[in-house]
Amino acid sequence: MKLWSEFYDLTVPDLPGCVNPMIDLSLRRAAIELCEGAEIWRKKLNPVLTQNGLSIYNFDIDGGQEVQTLKAATLNGNTLPVLRTDDAGQFGILCLNRREFILCPTPSSNRMGIVVDVVLKPSNTSIGVPDEIFAHYAETIASGAKARLMRSPKKPYTDFNLAVSYQMTFKSAIDEANSRVFMGYGPTRPRVRANFL
């Protein structure tokens, strides 16, 4: 885990007079936007064991993480359909919120293993990002944070023209990351279903 302070070399020199908590907040928001836009943080979580009569389970994630998307799941090694909200009542798994999922129907036996494959993002209370995201996207996240902060009015670091430039760099990097993930160079691969006429 790389703390937000690890980004200071990339941000502080361009933001004279900006306090560290504001930089941390902008870094966090930029990291969240990057993860939402490009699905770069995909992870297969540790198995969760079912309990008789219990249908709602917590995702096995740390406090600084949230589930953005539930991509796939298995129950005792068998594929479990991922449901949408309007599919409620059918057999499968449904993402209830950023921290919980529902197994439909309610299990009638104990200790069946549920393994979920999810796309994560930092939570609003996160203190940093995983080392791998920092290694590949530190400059991108820093650009997003600087774009946000430089739009702040009447600050020593206010520069609307530079903010636009950093925002364009940030958006371009998100598009490139999304493209890399889609083309199979990232931690996720696109799901494609053939449609025949």
Side-chain angles (χ1 to χ4, degrees):
M1 171 71 72
K2 296 290 187 187
L3 303 177
W4 301 125
S5 58
E6 300 279 342
F7 291 86
Y8 290 172
D9 289 344
L10 299 170
T11 53
V12 171
D14 297 321
L15 301 165
C18 188
V19 294
N20 291 348
M22 284 299 295
I23 294 173
D24 292 353
L25 176 63
S26 293
L27 288 165
R28 183 180 303 115
R29 295 302 313 149
I32 290 170
E33 188 175 341
L34 170 65
C35 289
E36 287 176 345
E39 295 191 351
I40 57 170
W41 189 4
R42 189 161 175 176
K43 185 175 181 182
K44 188 173 282 194
L45 303 180
N46 293 327
V48 175
L49 298 178
T50 62
Q51 296 177 28
N52 185 15
L54 184 65
S55 62
I56 299 176
Y57 298 88
N58 291 323
F59 288 110
D60 183 23
I61 56 176
D62 296 332
Q65 305 169 354
E66 287 183 349
V67 172
Q68 175 184 322
T69 310
L70 175 59
K71 288 291 194 180
T74 61
L75 179 63
N76 277 352
N78 299 312
T79 301
L80 195 57
V82 177
L83 305 175
R84 296 180 311 224
T85 307
D86 54 344
D87 294 333
Q90 298 181 22
F91 174 74
I93 187 169
L94 174 67
C95 188
L96 181 61
N97 54 46
R98 304 283 182 208
R99 311 243 5 126
E100 300 173 311
F101 63 89
I102 298 175
L103 195 57
C104 301
T106 301
S108 59
S109 60
N110 290 325
R111 306 192 57 77
M112 293 189 297
I114 308 166
V115 177
V116 294
D117 187 4
V118 296
V119 175
L120 297 171
K121 66 179 182 177
S123 70
N124 288 323
T125 59
S126 65
I127 58 171
V129 292
D131 293 350
E132 184 177 321
I133 290 177
F134 181 84
H136 291 103
Y137 301 103
E139 298 261 349
T140 300
I141 293 168
S143 291
K146 289 188 277 191
R148 281 178 177 278
L149 290 167
M150 288 181 175
R151 289 190 308 251
S152 303
K154 300 179 184 177
K155 302 286 184 193
Y157 46 86
T158 300
D159 187 332
F160 294 109
N161 292 329
L162 204 50
V164 169
S165 175
Y166 280 123
Q167 185 66 25
M168 288 173 58
T169 300
F170 181 60
K171 291 294 186 187
S172 176
I174 289 175
D175 291 343
E176 182 181 331
N178 194 31
S179 177
R180 290 180 60 79
V181 167
F182 183 77
M183 296 304 290
Y185 296 115
T188 63
R189 291 185 182 270
R191 303 281 183 201
V192 179
R193 181 182 300 165
N195 290 318
F196 300 99
L197 299 173

